[in-house]
């Protein structure tokens, strides 16, 4: 992966393929953001003018290249836009996005000097994270592994203008790097094609990574699922040649302030099952394990950061396929813990695997359960492709999760769980059906999950169907494909708990 370092040199003195400066929209046109001083000097104070001449405005997302004068050690200057000019410092998200655009624009170069407004620790962390996320590429499936073409990520990024021995800035680079590494791990898992990533291979990847980081990984395979009575996971995975798994990933700290259980929907491919999805709706369904990817990576991040909290991740892994052994619409499943569910639509499979995992996680009596799932198209209809919905059995916790998400750069919106929608899931034969009213389908799914949360446990549900996978053009630090949404929210929650604030 790309490496970020702090440099005490000025951008003018650093040997690199490009120097990156930030620009913004001032009241009278483009202005340079702090950090660009040395570069501006090399342009004899005319950098803003030069950039304006070639059409730069400072708008968010903008990237404009100009050749550097001879007095700079780099041949190229790249100006990235921050949006509206700020008097008292730039917002972390504007810095992340600008750094991300810069790193994306410089795919194919080796080294860049970032002369951005990053002096305090928070902005250093934002630039580190944005740059490492922007530099990300997924080349595992290219025959040349992406070598030699424009897809090679930047190898080195130096944040210039740092003070010597600035411990807070150093820690900020470290935290930003950990979060970026784990988000990029999630992106890799989401981008992996479903013929390579299936329950068994995902469980193996988890086992290997767990060993490296001292995180305990336990794989509950098909035999153990049958023995334990995990009817939801088995019912969903039954149609596939690739058997399902439930993977437990546990990070513990001897001085833990709280215990958290994170549960991820891990459908490695969602064809819909017997209620088969039509063409046009299944091309991106490798992303249906994005919740499990985010949960897995956030437990690893908690371990790398050494947080004073116990975090258990539960990855509910299955492939939803139609076949002679698949669950039929009309079947009744006996879930882990004994509740029965009439499956009316095999495409509403996420809630079935999650229900088993929620009951199992609840047995260990964590203080909080948070599940993360690409659960419903309805949530996408409600909130669009960049915001996830937050539901909970506790209003204060829902508020905390939503605020932590927003603060960490993940757009989130609190959604209700209206009790009247429960009736639509009444089944004539079982305790509950896996489908209810079509209207408010995201909330119906949330109400289904709520039924499986043990009394006394505070629970939240993140429906990430919209933001998990970017089908549109890249923007800011977000590439096409897997985004790693929810990782930062889960890490922030673990940090909040470790600080004794939950
Ligand atoms: N994995 C899908 C939800 C989804 C849709 C995620 C689009 C990402 C993008 C989920 O399993 C599903 O198929 N949900 C159904 C539920 C319905 C049958 C009650 C849906 O939303 O249509
Ligand atoms: Mn489905
Ligand atoms: Zn699904």
């Amino acid at each position: 992966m790309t490496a970020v370092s702090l440099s005490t040199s000025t951008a003018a003195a650093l040997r690199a393929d490009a120097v990156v400066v930030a620009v913004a929209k001032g009241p009278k046109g483009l202005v340079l953001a702090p950090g660009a001083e040395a570069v501006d000097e090399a342009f004899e104070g005319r950098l803003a003018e030069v950039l304006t001449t070639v059409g730069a405005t400072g708008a968010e997302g903008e990237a404009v290249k100009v050749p550097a004068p001879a007095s700079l050690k780099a041949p190229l200057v790249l100006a990235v836009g921050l949006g509206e000019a700020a008097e008292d410092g730039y917002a972390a998200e504007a810095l992340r996005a600008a750094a991300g655009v810069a790193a994306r624009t410089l795919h194919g170069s080796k080294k860049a000097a970032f002369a951005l407004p990053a002096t305090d620790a928070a902005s250093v962390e934002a630039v580190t994270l944005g740059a490492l996320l922007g530099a990300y590429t997924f080349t595992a499936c290219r025959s040349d592994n992406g070598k030699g073409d424009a897809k090679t990520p930047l190898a080195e990024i130096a944040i210039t203008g740092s003070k010597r021995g600035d411990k807070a800035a150093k820690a900020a680079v470290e935290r930003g790097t950990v979060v970026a590494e784990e988000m990029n791990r999630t992106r890799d898992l989401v981008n992996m094609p479903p013929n390579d990533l299936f329950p068994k291979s995902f469980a193996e990847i988890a086992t290997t990574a767990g060993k490296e980081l001292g995180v305990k990984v336990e794989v509950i395979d098909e035999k153990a699922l049958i023995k334990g009575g995990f009817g939801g996971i088995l019912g969903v995975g039954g149609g596939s040649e690739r058997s399902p798994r439930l993977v437990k990933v546990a990070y513990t700290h001897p001085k833990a302030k709280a215990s958290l259980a994170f549960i991820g929907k891990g459908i490695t491919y969602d064809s819909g099952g017997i209620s088969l999805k039509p063409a046009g709706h299944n091309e991106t369904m490798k992303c249906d394990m994005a919740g499990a990817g985010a949960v897995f990576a956030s437990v690893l991040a908690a371990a790398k950061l050494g947080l004073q909290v116990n975090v258990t991740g539960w990855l509910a892994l299955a492939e939803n396929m139609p076949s002679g052994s698949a669950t039929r619409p009309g079947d009744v499943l006996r879930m882990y813990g004994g509740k029965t569910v009439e499956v009316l639509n095999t495409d509403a499979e996420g809630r079935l695997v999650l229900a088993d995992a929620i009951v199992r996680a609840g047995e260990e009596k964590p203080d909080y359960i948070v599940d993360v799932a690409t659960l419903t198209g309805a949530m996408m209809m409600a909130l669009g492709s960049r915001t996830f919905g937050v539901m909970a059995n506790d209003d204060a916790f829902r508020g905390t999760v939503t605020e932590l998400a927003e603060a960490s750069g993940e757009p989130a919106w609190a959604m209700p769980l209206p009790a009247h929608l429960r009736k639509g899931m009444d089944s004539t034969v079982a305790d509950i059906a896996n489908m209810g009213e079509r209207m408010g389908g995201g909330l119906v799914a949330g109400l289904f999950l709520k039924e499986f949360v043990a009394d006394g446990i505070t629970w939240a549900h993140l429906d990430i169907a919209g933001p998990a996978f970017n089908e549109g053009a890249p923007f800011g630090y977000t590439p096409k494909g897997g985004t790693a949404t929810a990782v930062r929210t889960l890490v922030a929650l673990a940090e909040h708990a470790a600080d004794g604030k939950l």
Side-chain angles (χ1 to χ4, degrees):
M1 199 176 88
T2 313
V4 171
S5 62
L6 293 168
S7 168
T8 50
S9 310
T10 71
L14 214 71
R15 208 169 288 284
D17 299 310
V19 176
V20 178
V21 298
V23 291
K25 286 171 88 145
K28 287 186 237 123
L30 177 141
V31 293
L32 301 178
E37 297 79 6
V39 182
D40 191 28
E41 258 169 54
F43 278 84
E44 290 161 356
R46 292 183 54 244
L47 180 56
E49 200 184 314
V50 168
L51 290 168
T52 304
T53 307
V54 295
T57 62
E60 195 189 309
E62 189 177 84
V64 174
K65 290 176 180 173
V66 291
S71 57
L72 284 188
K73 287 258 163 63
L76 179 76
V77 172
L78 169 65
V80 287
L82 287 164
E84 294 302 322
E87 296 274 305
D88 41 5
Y90 285 90
E93 185 60 8
L95 291 172
R96 283 183 213 114
V101 169
R104 258 197 306 116
T105 307
L106 294 172
H107 280 324
S109 307
K110 285 206 170 62
K111 178 168 182 178
F114 277 36
L116 300 178
T119 39
D120 62 302
S123 47
V124 167
E125 183 181 323
V127 168
T128 302
L129 181 58
L132 292 176
L133 293 174
Y136 174 84
T137 58
F138 181 72
T139 54
C141 298
R142 305 271 186 207
S143 55
D144 66 352
N145 204 19
K147 279 194 192 72
D149 65 17
K151 288 182 200 77
T152 315
L154 268 170
E156 259 187 277
I157 295 170
I159 300 177
T160 62
S162 305
K163 290 190 288 288
R164 199 171 295 279
D166 187 340
K167 288 211 181 94
K170 197 162 167 273
V173 171
E174 278 162 18
R175 187 185 181 278
T177 302
V178 165
V179 175
E181 279 170 357
E182 292 312 322
M183 287 179 70
N184 287 341
R185 184 197 301 274
T186 307
R187 290 168 168 187
D188 276 346
L189 288 166
V190 173
N191 290 333
M192 265 174 87
N195 55 333
D196 286 340
L197 191 77
F198 42 92
K200 182 167 178 266
S201 62
F202 196 152
E204 283 165 1
I205 290 171
T207 304
T208 306
K211 273 205 190 100
E212 273 166 31
L213 293 165
V215 167
K216 205 174 153 223
V217 177
E218 187 188 324
V219 179
I220 302 156
D221 64 8
E222 192 177 28
K223 222 173 113 198
L225 288 170
I226 294 170
K227 195 155 172 253
F230 290 87
I233 296 174
L234 289 164
V236 173
S240 170
E241 304 244 338
R242 293 157 163 167
S243 57
R245 300 281 186 281
L246 176 63
V247 178
K248 180 183 177 186
V249 186
Y251 163 70
T252 53
H253 191 287
K255 290 190 197 143
K257 296 269 169 54
S259 59
L260 306 176
F262 294 161
I263 299 173
K265 171 176 173 180
I267 302 299
T268 57
Y269 185 69
D270 182 12
S271 72
I274 298 294
S275 314
L276 194 63
K277 285 182 188 293
H281 287 82
N282 51 24
E283 294 80 357
T284 59
M285 280 303 136
K286 67 173 182 180
C287 82
D288 217 17
M289 39 53 66
V295 162
F296 173 49
S298 59
V299 178
L300 298 183
K304 283 183 176 176
L305 297 169
L307 302 181
Q308 287 195 21
V309 61
N310 292 338
V311 190
T312 306
W314 298 89
L315 320 179
L317 309 177
E319 186 180 55
N320 188 21
M321 296 291 271
S323 80
S325 58
T327 293
R328 292 152 285 252
D331 280 357
V332 173
L333 301 177
R334 185 171 295 273
M335 313 293 279
Y336 184 76
K339 270 202 180 61
T340 59
V341 178
E342 183 184 12
V343 178
L344 292 177
N345 188 321
T346 63
D347 198 12
E349 84 297 340
R351 63 198 75 183
L352 300 173
V353 299
L354 289 170
D356 273 3
I358 289 173
V359 176
R360 178 63 191 84
E363 286 179 349
E364 304 194 351
K365 305 221 174 308
D367 299 316
Y368 300 88
I369 291 181
V370 180
D371 77 74
V372 185
T374 46
L375 204 59
T376 66
M379 194 55 61
M380 274 180 103
M381 293 294 267
L383 297 178
S385 59
R386 294 193 188 178
T387 306
F388 60 74
V390 183
M391 287 146 268
N393 62 359
D394 179 282
D395 285 353
F397 188 54
R398 184 185 62 181
T400 302
V401 172
T402 310
E403 279 164 27
L404 288 171
E406 284 284 347
S408 54
E410 301 192 319
W413 200 254
M415 302 291 278
L417 290 173
H420 74 94
L421 289 175
R422 168 62 184 83
K423 207 166 165 37
M425 289 183 285
D426 282 351
S427 163
T428 44
V429 292
D431 298 342
I432 190 170
N434 78 330
M435 249 183 60
E437 283 178 39
R438 200 169 75 83
M439 294 297 169
L443 319 180
V444 171
L447 281 164
F448 179 92
L449 297 178
K450 186 168 171 250
E451 299 272 321
F452 295 86
V453 180
D455 287 342
I457 298 182
T458 308
W459 157 81
H461 157 57
L462 314 185
D463 190 336
I464 61 167
F469 198 80
N470 178 27
E471 289 187 61
F475 59 94
Y477 49 78
T478 306
K480 262 181 166 312
T483 62
T485 190
V487 171
R488 283 178 282 169
T489 301
L490 295 180
V491 172
L493 195 63
E495 286 177 325
H496 202 66
D499 290 345
K501 289 185 191 151
L502 262 188

